[in-house]
């Protein structure tokens, strides 16, 4: 039994209170159930929502909390009824570890919209225990919520695709903004935005990056391959672009006006919001009506679509642009993330530095 206890013992990094300070934390993962996959975590991406959770900015965090929902690694053990995975497989877990599996959303592979979905972090699992995320050296999840990482993708660059990747891929597909020759704007060039540019370009779309900062121009055009760059504060540039876009993916979570963005759309154009702004939007209704435009939202994606996204990413060589860090750099990384000082995603080297 001591051997079993040793395998269940997990080291993670947790926040103990809303100061957001992270420190080493030992806990036990559940034993591998019949439908469970256990894996050694090798890398875990850091998402902005991890920052919200550790500081209790959404008001629902129970402490201690272990963040991390862009988790990748290698399978070490499977339950007796697991069919799709074997020890040694490269796998990942994204935003969800549970859902009811029977509602209309679940039946349509939209587990992310299930009213009973269980988040990978800061939620309560079926056993009544808190869900602890990937800032830890092992992970256990029901096989339905485990994703296969294609061999062509480096694990560290693939990790952020489990959140930032699917969150941008899903609306491009669902709102049919994935057809060659279409003109699509991407607002914001951060963790989500830079991946959105890569997916849109891979679909053959003509991409305009829309930003408040002139500093991002070189990056957007030269390195990420956007076709054009628009400074949203520049009235002349915005005026010249009115009515030119089929769709806009808005990745900015800070409060900002959406009226100017709606005016950039053609008739029947779609503005899709991905960033969770704390303040409600003021939507100029006239802009919506005159042009039969759509103002929509989108969040993550289901498991089937997440697998499709990763396979597409492998085919087109798409990974997130990352800065790999050691576990003991976590608090510095969180401070830098709060200031927006990262291009574009921190990824923790769990396998080598979380001991």
């Amino acid at each position: 039994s001591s051997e079993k206890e040793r395998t269940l013992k997990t080291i993670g990094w947790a926040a103990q209170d809303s100061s957001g300070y992270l420190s080493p934390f030992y806990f036990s993962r559940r034993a591998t159930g019949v439908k469970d996959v256990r894996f050694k975590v090798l890398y875990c991406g850091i998402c902005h929502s991890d920052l919200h959770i550790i500081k209790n900015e959404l008001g629902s965090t129970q402490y201690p909390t272990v963040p991390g929902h862009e988790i990748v690694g290698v399978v070490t053990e499977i339950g007796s009824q697991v069919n799709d995975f074997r020890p040694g497989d490269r796998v990942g877990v994204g935003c969800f570890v549970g859902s009811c599996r029977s509602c209309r959303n679940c039946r349509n592979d939209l587990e992310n919209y299930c009213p009973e979905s269980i988040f990978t972090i800061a939620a309560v699992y079926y056993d009544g225990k808190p869900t602890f995320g990937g800032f830890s050296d092992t992970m256990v999840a029901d096989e339905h919520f485990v994703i296969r990482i294609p061999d062509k993708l480096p694990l560290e660059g693939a990790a952020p695709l489990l959140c930032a990747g699917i969150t941008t891929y899903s609306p491009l597909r669902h709102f049919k903004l994935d057809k060659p020759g279409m003109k699509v704007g991407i607002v914001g060039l951060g963790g989500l935005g830079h991946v959105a540019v890569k997916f849109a370009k891979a679909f053959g779309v003509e991409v305009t990056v829309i930003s408040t900062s002139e500093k991002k121009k070189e990056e957007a055009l030269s390195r990420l391959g956007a076709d054009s760059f628009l400074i949203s504060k520049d009235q002349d540039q915005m005026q010249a672009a009115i009515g030119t876009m089929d769709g806009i993916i808005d990745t900015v979570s800070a409060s900002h006006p959406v009226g100017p963005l709606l005016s950039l759309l053609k008739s029947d154009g779609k503005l899709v919001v991905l960033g969770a702004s704390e303040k409600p939007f003021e939507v100029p209704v006239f802009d919506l009506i005159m042009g039969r435009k759509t103002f929509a939202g989108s969040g993550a994606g289901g498991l089937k679509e997440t697998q499709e996204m990763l396979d597409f990413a492998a085919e087109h060589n798409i990974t997130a642009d990352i800065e790999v860090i050691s576990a003991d750099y976590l608090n510095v990384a969180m401070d830098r993330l709060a200031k927006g000082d990262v291009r574009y995603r921190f990824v923790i080297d769990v396998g080598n530095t979380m001991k």
Side-chain angles (χ1 to χ4, degrees):
S1 81
S2 64
E3 170 64 17
K4 194 69 182 163
E5 277 165 23
R6 195 176 65 73
T7 60
L8 298 182
K9 196 143 182 76
T10 297
I11 180 171
W13 279 61
Q16 301 287 348
D17 56 46
S18 62
S19 70
Y21 180 79
L22 294 157
S23 56
F25 172 67
Y26 290 89
F27 63 100
S28 291
R29 289 281 183 204
R30 68 175 185 271
T32 311
V34 293
K35 296 292 283 177
D36 283 340
V37 172
R38 175 180 297 271
F39 64 94
K40 177 177 170 55
V41 179
L42 296 179
Y43 295 97
C44 184
I46 304 179
C47 172
H48 220 282
S49 53
D50 292 319
L51 198 56
H52 290 318
I53 294 289
I54 63 173
K55 294 190 169 176
N56 197 23
E57 286 169 355
L58 306 175
S60 59
T61 305
Q62 303 284 314
Y63 296 99
T65 187
V66 177
H69 57 267
E70 300 177 344
I71 315 165
V72 295
V74 173
V75 176
T76 54
E77 186 182 18
I78 57 169
S80 58
Q81 293 174 27
V82 168
N83 299 315
D84 294 338
F85 299 100
R86 293 284 172 271
D89 286 353
R90 293 155 38 102
V91 295
V93 166
C95 308
F96 308 94
V97 289
S99 72
C100 80
R101 309 282 292 277
S102 59
C103 69
R104 188 175 68 97
N105 285 327
C106 285
R107 289 198 309 272
N108 288 317
D109 299 307
L110 294 168
E111 297 91 344
N112 51 312
Y113 299 128
C114 171
E116 293 173 36
S117 66
I118 299 174
F119 288 105
T120 305
I121 55 173
V124 177
Y125 200 63
Y126 302 114
D127 57 9
K129 295 189 172 144
T131 56
F132 287 147
F135 289 19
S136 61
D137 66 353
T138 59
M139 186 70 194
V140 180
D142 183 291
E143 74 164 329
H144 182 78
F145 296 90
V146 176
I147 306 285
R148 184 177 298 282
I149 310 290
D151 288 339
K152 271 182 71 178
L153 290 176
L155 284 176
E156 61 271 39
L161 297 181
L162 292 168
C163 174
I166 185 59
T167 301
T168 51
Y169 178 91
S170 185
L172 285 165
R173 295 281 286 166
H174 176 77
F175 292 100
K176 300 187 169 46
L177 300 173
D178 56 353
K179 308 288 178 280
M182 287 186 116
K183 291 180 162 51
V184 173
I186 309 288
V187 187
L189 200 59
L192 289 176
H194 90 285
V195 180
V197 172
K198 293 185 182 194
F199 278 124
K201 285 299 293 179
F203 287 132
V205 167
E206 200 175 303
V207 177
T208 300
V209 170
I210 304 167
S211 175
T212 55
S213 166
E214 171 83 59
K215 292 200 296 260
K216 299 272 178 86
K217 183 172 184 175
E218 176 67 16
E219 180 87 352
L221 299 177
S222 304
R223 222 167 61 79
L224 293 170
D227 300 280
S228 52
F229 188 84
L230 191 52
I231 295 172
S232 53
K233 290 176 174 167
D234 185 318
Q235 295 303 317
D236 293 341
Q237 284 189 26
M238 291 293 281
Q239 190 68 33
I242 282 176
T244 60
M245 296 181 193
D246 297 290
I248 295 175
I249 302 289
D250 185 348
T251 71
V252 174
S253 51
S255 188
H256 61 288
V258 292
L261 298 175
L262 284 169
S263 70
L264 299 178
L265 294 172
K266 299 174 183 174
S267 298
D268 291 321
K270 298 154 185 161
L271 171 58
V272 187
V273 173
L274 310 183
S277 170
E278 287 171 30
K279 294 189 181 133
F281 285 114
E282 284 187 24
V283 182
V285 174
F286 195 74
D287 278 340
L288 276 181
I289 296 170
M290 300 310 291
R292 197 168 58 183
K293 295 170 186 176
T294 302
F295 182 51
S298 181
L303 278 302
K304 186 177 174 187
E305 190 176 45
T306 302
Q307 188 66 63
E308 176 193 304
M309 175 275 302
L310 279 176
D311 295 342
F312 181 87
E315 193 185 325
H316 294 272
N317 249 341
I318 294 171
T319 54
D321 291 8
I322 58 170
E323 181 177 329
V324 177
I325 63 162
S326 59
D328 59 11
Y329 189 77
L330 258 171
N331 288 303
V332 182
M334 285 298 185
D335 286 344
R336 283 181 51 195
L337 181 61
K339 297 185 190 112
D341 174 24
V342 56
R343 273 182 35 196
Y344 285 96
R345 250 312 191 256
F346 287 117
V347 173
I348 311 161
D349 181 353
V350 175
N352 290 313
T353 69
M354 202 170 284
K355 299 269 194 279

